[in-house]
């Protein structure tokens, strides 16, 4: 047997060095700042780490010296940097403040390098060099409470206890500072090798080096005072009242002062300078020659990561048997014996080939090695059974028989009869065997199958469900259910029915399940992406993931063993074990904005300037602090006023180019590898538009536009009105000319008739009548000429004109008719207007076509003017022969020009007045004459 003792203290480390961006391999000090960034002080500068990228600072960035030996973060978020020279500086808000550019630091007159920096509960900062104590108040005032006057006995260390007491160590003792004075509390032996970073000063505990490689512990609480051998110490600190951490060339050792024993070691045999636990639970280990290491969680322990000759070990199977943990690996068979400090690991020299499966029953343990089975029973020497092919599954039926699955089927073999197969139980290729009450569940090429009893009919689950087709990786029983692991997740069977199925949709980290362990309502599921802890509660499923980022040796989990309160996970890189009652892994995702540049110039994110619309390129740098995610972080962003959906990126920088004018809120959040979302970061951005997009300009432009539009419309309306007025005037003149033309047409017609009458008088030798007729005719002609020049005439003029005309016609027709003209008393004949030359043709028709045809009676023409509803109605009535007789006696082709012209005049006048002129002709009963009614709106006060 090869023994590898005390192998239980190994952790899963993530290593960072210069290749990852760390400033240098020699790391003196570490600190986590208020925002969560990790800072590392090296001999070649200081590094800030966000979990993905290192940002390094050197003298080129403002440091007074590249070799930084001490770091401290105060309550204001300032990171104090103490170089290995008599100077001090701090980092805040993206800038390094030094004694040259900071008025507060300029007041610190150092007499050597900084020995210590602390801050008390009142937020007062104390800084010491070998001979001075400086105090900085919360409002950044610097005071010098005292100066050490002990020549050659300078200060080497300073600390504030958990109760707030302020201690100093100098060459000959320990002082307490209170009430602005130093008080001696402990005298150091003259042999003590006083060094500040290795001493521990607490109210109830002291620790210091008394001589080379000898450390003295004093505890008043436990009444302890002893010395112990130590390696060359780099630093020491108290963890609690019974544990201290000593960092040396032997690693970082957690020492129990009561048990006087090292209980845990970080980086064994590494030169460790500091160990720090951050707010996410990671443990950081700094070294003086190999950079920095991170442990995701010290709750996880790894064992068997390497063999005795430092070969990596892949674990295939785990079994608890005989008080030991048995492990089948690619390098053979190992046993793990629990010890006080972890495990002692032994490798079996008899079995040096890969062990893929193991089975245990009572004192019987069986191992599969390719085509062979190794049988270990009690204290008897192991012996070998040979199968017909590679062994894919193994189950012990009883103390005498074992069931083996392989490519040739399922075989029943007798344990005490090597190389003999007792029975062939199945003929199909099989794997993932599970035996239960004479029934055998196994994975065939087509999926899960059940052999109820030897010789029975095979039940193929693949015929009933797609979930159980394909590769079967593992079969286990728990809570009365048979659990089957496949590449589709985990399926539970009760009898031959599926009662539950779990996959990624139910929260599993992967569907590619490789192994299962079931206990009551709890499942442990090993996948290719980590280990799942599943708690079943009714139909609800609570899943917790464990991955390499949490402390697993590898994400590829091949086997699981539940042993009491411990879970063992066999992985591709050894065995990880932890307490099964441990809660879900703790993780953080804190998004931080690192820098904002606008057009290449660095700006304060809290006070961003207004951006110009012509040049507004915005560059952002940010980081989500989630160290366990190891850079596996997704970022989401949007411009809230512009985008409704989130854009996804993986980069830790973002460029916004040529934003249009407006006000925006840039929203950004991160999601780490565990699905934890950070708080949303909001950055307001404002892009000033050109002056023509400003409100005042748009209002002014609107007013000007409205004014110009009003002026244009007014001008256009004036033009249109002038045009319309001109058109109306032209129309009026045209109509007037047409009226005059019509009157001019009618006057010759009347004159022609009158001259015919004069001619008849002359022919008849009636000179007196001819003279009288000519006199009246002349008066009528004069009246006609006057009336032809006017649109309207008064009723009085119209009556006078008609009377003159009818008197002429009486002479012409030798008094064969009489006439009468009457005006309604309601009509003011001097004011009421009437269109001239309208009635004359009608009266003429009454005489010439009505009265003229009478032979047996005297003719009568009656003209009546009356008022009716704002209209003047003129009725011209004759007792002539009527229109029918007139039409009958009229020569063919005769046209009544007077009537035609009158109708055309009335039609023309109707176009120019709002109320139309109406004319209506009625035949009187029994051919007793004709009545013509003319309706004209009442118009008073003028003639034109």
């Amino acid at each position: 047997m090869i023994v590898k003792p005390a192998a239980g203290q190994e952790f899963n480390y993530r290593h960072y060095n210069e290749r990852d961006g760390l400033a240098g391999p020699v790391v003196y000090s570490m600190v986590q700042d208020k925002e969560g960034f990790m800072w590392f002080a090296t001999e070649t500068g200081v590094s800030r780490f966000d979990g993905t990228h290192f940002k390094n600072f050197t003298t080129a960035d403002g440091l007074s010296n590249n070799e930084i030996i001490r770091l401290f973060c105060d309550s204001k978020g300032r990171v104090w940097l103490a170089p290995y020279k008599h100077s001090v500086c701090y980092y805040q808000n993206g800038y390094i403040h030094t004694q040259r550019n900071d008025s507060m630091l300029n007041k610190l007159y150092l007499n050597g390098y900084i020995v210590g920096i602390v801050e008390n509960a009142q937020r007062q900062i104390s800084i010491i060099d070998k001979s001075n104590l400086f105090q900085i108040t919360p409002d950044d005032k610097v005071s010098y409470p005292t100066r050490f006057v002990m020549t050659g006995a300078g200060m080497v260390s300073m600390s504030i206890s958990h109760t707030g007491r302020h201690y100093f160590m100098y060459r000959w003792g320990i002082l307490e500072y209170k009430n602005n004075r130093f008080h001696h509390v402990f005298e150091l032996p003259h042999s003590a090798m006083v060094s500040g970073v290795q001493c521990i000063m607490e109210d109830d505990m002291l620790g210091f080096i008394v001589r080379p490689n000898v450390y003295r512990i004093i505890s008043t609480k436990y009444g302890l005072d002893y010395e112990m051998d130590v390696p060359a110490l780099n630093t020491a600190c108290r963890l609690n009242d019974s544990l201290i951490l000593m960092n040396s060339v032997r690693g970082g050792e957690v020492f129990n002062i009561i048990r006087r024993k090292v209980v845990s070691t970080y980086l064994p045999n590494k030169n460790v300078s500091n160990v720090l636990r951050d707010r996410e639970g990671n443990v950081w280990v700094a070294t003086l020659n190999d950079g920095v290491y991170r442990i995701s969680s010290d709750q996880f322990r790894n064992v068997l990561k390497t063999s005795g000759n430092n070969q990596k070990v892949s674990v295939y199977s785990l079994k608890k048997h005989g008080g030991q943990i048995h492990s089948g690996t690619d390098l053979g068979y190992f046993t793990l014996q629990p010890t006080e400090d972890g495990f002692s690991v032994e490798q079996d020299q008899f079995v040096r080939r890969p062990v893929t499966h193991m089975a245990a029953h009572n004192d019987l343990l069986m191992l599969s090695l390719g085509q062979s089975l190794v049988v270990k029973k009690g204290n008897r020497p192991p012996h070998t059974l040979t199968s017909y092919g590679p062994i894919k599954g193994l189950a012990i039926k009883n103390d005498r028989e074992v069931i083996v699955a392989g490519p040739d089927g399922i075989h029943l073999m007798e344990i005490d009869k090597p190389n003999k197969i007792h029975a062939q139980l199945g003929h199909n290729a099989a794997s993932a065997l599970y035996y239960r009450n004479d029934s055998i569940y196994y994975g065939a090429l087509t999926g899960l199958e059940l052999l109820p009893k030897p010789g029975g009919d095979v039940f193929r689950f693949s015929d009933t469900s797609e979930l159980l087709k394909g590769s079967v990786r593992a079969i286990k029983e728990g809570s009365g259910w048979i659990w089957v692991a496949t590449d589709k997740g985990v399926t539970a069977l009760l009898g031959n029915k599926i009662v539950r199925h779990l996959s990624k949709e139910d929260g599993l980290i992967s569907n590619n399940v490789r192994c299962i362990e079931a206990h009551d309502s709890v499942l442990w599921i090993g996948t290719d992406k980590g280990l799942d802890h599943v708690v079943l509660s009714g139909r609800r499923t609570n899943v917790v993931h464990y991955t390499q980022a949490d402390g697993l040796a590898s994400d590829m989990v091949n086997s699981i063993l539940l042993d009491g309160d411990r879970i063992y996970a066999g992985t591709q890189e050894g065995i990880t074990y932890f307490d099964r009652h441990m809660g879900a892994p703790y993780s953080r995702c804190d998004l931080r904005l690192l820098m904002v540049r606008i057009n290449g110039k660095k700006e304060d994110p809290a006070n961003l300037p207004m951006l110009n619309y012509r040049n507004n390129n915005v560059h952002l740098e940010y980081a989500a602090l989630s160290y366990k995610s190891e850079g596996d972080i997704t970022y989401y962003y949007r411009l809230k006023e512009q985008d409704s959906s989130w854009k996804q990126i993986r980069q830790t920088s973002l460029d916004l180019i040529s934003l249009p004018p407006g006000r925006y809120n840039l929203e950004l959040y991160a999601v780490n590898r565990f699905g934890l979302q950070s708080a949303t970061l909001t950055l307001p951005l404002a892009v000033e538009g050109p002056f023509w997009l400003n409100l005042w300009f748009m209002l002014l432009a609107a007013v000007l536009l409205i004014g110009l539009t009003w002026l244009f419309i007014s001008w256009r309306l004036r033009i249109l009105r002038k045009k319309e007025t001109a058109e109306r005037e032209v129309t009026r003149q045209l109509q007037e000319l047409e009226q005059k033309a019509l009157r001019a047409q009618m006057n010759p017609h009347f004159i022609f008739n009158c001259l015919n009458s004069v001619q008849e008088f002359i022919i008849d030798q009636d000179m007196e009548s001819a003279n009288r007729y000519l006199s009246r005719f002349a008066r009528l002609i004069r009246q006609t000429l006057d009336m032809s020049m006017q649109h309207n005439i008064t009723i009085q003029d119209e009556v006078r004109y008609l009377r003159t005309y009818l008197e002429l016609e009486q002479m012409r027709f030798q008094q064969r008719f009489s006439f009468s003209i009457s005006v309604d008393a309601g009509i003011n004949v001097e004011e009421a207007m009437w269109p001239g030359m309208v009635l004359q043709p009608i009266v003429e028709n009454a005489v010439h076509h009505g009265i003229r045809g009478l032979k047996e009676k005297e003719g009568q023409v009656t003209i009546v003017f009356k008022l009716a509803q704002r209209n003047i109605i003129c009725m011209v009535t004759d007792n002539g022969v009527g229109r029918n007789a007139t039409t009958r006696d009229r020569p063919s082709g005769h046209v009544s020009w007077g009537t035609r012209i009158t109708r055309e005049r009335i039609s023309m006048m109707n176009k120019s007045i709002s109320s139309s002129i109406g004319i209506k002709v009625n035949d009187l009963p029994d051919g007793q004459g004709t009545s013509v009614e003319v309706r004209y709106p009442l118009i008073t006060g003028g003639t034109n």
Side-chain angles (χ1 to χ4, degrees), residues 295 366 433 513 516 534 587 591 650 791 808:
I295 306 169
M366 303 194 73
L433 190 67
V513 179
I516 316 170
V534 182
S587 175
L591 183 60
R650 303 278 292 181
H791 287 293
L808 279 175

Side-chain angles (χ1 to χ4, degrees), residues 1-8 10 302-308 313 324-325 327 329 333-339 342-348 575:
M1 303 289 283
I2 297 177
V3 180
K4 183 182 179 183
E10 297 180 20
N302 295 320
V303 66
L304 200 59
K305 293 194 70 172
T306 59
S307 64
V313 178
Q324 294 179 322
I325 305 297
S327 176
T329 75
Y333 165 62
F334 293 80
T335 59
L336 284 71
Q337 180 67 47
T339 66
F343 293 93
S344 63
V345 180
E346 298 180 356
Q347 184 176 7
D348 195 307
I575 299 171

Side-chain angles (χ1 to χ4, degrees), residues 258 589 885:
I258 300 173
C589 189

Side-chain angles (χ1 to χ4, degrees), residues 479-550:
S479 301
W481 293 353
I482 300 296
W483 292 93
V484 183
T486 69
D487 55 3
K488 300 179 182 68
V490 178
T491 304
L493 301 174
L494 182 61
N496 294 340
K497 293 183 178 180
I498 295 176
V499 293
R500 195 75 179 262
H501 179 71
L502 303 175
S503 65
K504 287 185 68 174
E505 294 180 357
D506 302 287
L508 297 189
I509 197 170
S510 171
N511 283 338
N512 190 5
V513 179
R514 304 178 61 82
C515 53
I516 316 170
E517 186 68 37
H519 178 71
D520 295 331
S521 60
V522 177
L523 293 178
W524 294 88
I525 300 174
T527 74
D528 61 337
K529 294 183 178 179
L531 179 66
D532 282 334
H533 177 210
V534 182
V535 178
L536 304 175
S537 178
R539 300 305 299 178
R540 297 176 58 188
T541 304
N542 182 35
V543 183
V544 176
H545 306 308
Y546 299 98
T547 66
Q548 190 171 5
D550 300 306

Side-chain angles (χ1 to χ4, degrees), residues 56 282 371 408 426 474 483 639 660 688 837:
N56 297 325
N282 300 283
Q371 296 182 349
D408 295 326
W483 292 93
L639 284 171
E688 184 180 23
M837 300 300 293

